[in-house]
Amino acid sequence: MNPGALMDPQNIPAIYPEGAATQQQAAQMQQAAAMAQAAQAQQIAGMTQAGAAAQAGMPVSHRPMRQAGRQLRSTTQLHAVVEACQTVRIACVDEEGPFIVPMSFGYDWADPEEIDADAPRLALWVHSAGVGRKVDAFNREPRVAIEMDVQEGLITGTYACAYSYAYRSIMGTGTIHRIQGIEAKRYGLTRIMQHLAPEASTDFTDQALARANIYCIDIDRFTGKQRA
């Protein structure tokens, strides 16, 4: 698989085939992507360079989870966490420093057997207003960290420090891309609605989509954890 393809936001829907409702929709998205590609080539190149530079500074080997017995490893377990979670917390940085913003999201999975890889890939779709602190931060530095969790209830004990809380969580890092093109935006917003409100209408007008501010986070590394 070509890792560079993941850095192009217009290619993201194509690598997650489960998200495409029909071949016709996929063809429409590819056509829209091709039309938008030339106009945003410089923008994508800048974002790619920033992401590559950040990745170059990352350690070659990642620290293993200290309590390895709590790590969620199966794709079924990881899928379940993302499906049950309704909010992703995105850590980013601007000129004032690091901060965290919670956002609703949609998602696409690509399991290892589908993409000939050692680990699953995850893409998160989010939308926002066209201006604001998080928009400025995403434009300034596309490398972000994410966290999502599902609360499972209180764990009681015989003394204060024995109390804890049961949860399942996912933490990771990735690169956020602003999506261009009506059909690519339609795809992303549809994925968000399908996760948050599966029964709601996903009939978006072209005018509404033109105004929409849609992002996709390509998660390049993540781990799952469970405290039961």
Side-chain angles (χ1 to χ4, degrees):
M1 182 178 181
N2 178 12
L6 293 173
M7 301 301 293
D8 183 342
Q10 302 301 343
N11 286 338
I12 290 174
I15 67 167
Y16 297 102
E18 290 182 1
T22 65
Q23 292 183 348
Q24 182 179 5
Q25 287 179 329
Q28 290 174 342
M29 285 185 286
Q30 291 176 355
Q31 182 180 9
M35 294 174 62
Q37 186 68 39
Q40 66 169 356
Q42 184 176 1
Q43 175 189 9
I44 293 175
M47 294 169 68
T48 301
Q49 291 170 1
Q55 287 178 331
M58 295 173 65
V60 174
S61 61
H62 298 284
R63 178 184 299 182
M65 189 175 294
R66 183 176 63 86
Q67 294 181 314
R70 295 183 180 178
Q71 185 167 353
L72 301 178
R73 301 180 184 276
S74 76
T75 54
T76 300
Q77 291 174 316
L78 295 170
H79 281 225
V81 175
V82 176
E83 177 60 27
C85 184
Q86 296 298 316
T87 304
V88 59
R89 296 169 183 83
I90 305 172
C92 44
V93 63
D94 63 8
E95 64 278 0
E96 297 181 36
F99 67 100
I100 296 173
V101 57
M103 300 186 73
S104 301
F105 70 96
Y107 66 90
D108 279 310
W109 279 102
D111 290 329
E113 60 272 16
E114 297 173 342
I115 55 175
D116 191 24
D118 295 330
R121 297 301 299 265
L122 174 63
L124 300 180
W125 299 88
V126 298
H127 73 97
S128 75
V131 296
R133 186 180 181 187
K134 63 177 175 291
V135 173
D136 291 342
F138 295 162
N139 292 335
R140 180 179 186 270
E141 173 50 69
R143 290 293 297 173
V144 297
I146 62 100
E147 188 275 346
M148 56 183 73
D149 58 75
V150 181
Q151 300 182 13
E152 304 283 20
L154 180 68
I155 299 174
T156 61
T158 56
Y159 56 97
C161 291
Y163 279 72
S164 186
Y165 207 86
Y167 64 88
R168 290 173 292 154
S169 67
I170 284 180
M171 297 177 63
T173 55
T175 304
I176 190 165
H177 311 277
R178 184 173 179 177
I179 300 302
Q180 305 291 343
I182 294 298
E183 293 307 320
K185 287 184 175 182
R186 191 189 310 278
Y187 178 90
L189 200 54
T190 297
R191 297 304 289 156
I192 294 171
M193 290 300 298
Q194 287 175 341
H195 179 49
L196 297 182
E199 304 303 321
S201 170
T202 55
D203 185 17
F204 312 110
T205 66
D206 289 353
Q207 292 79 4
L209 290 167
R211 297 190 299 269
N213 201 26
I214 309 296
Y215 292 91
C216 187
I217 309 174
D218 178 31
I219 308 299
D220 49 52
R221 178 179 178 270
F222 65 93
T223 55
K225 184 177 181 180
Q226 177 175 271
R227 174 71 168 100

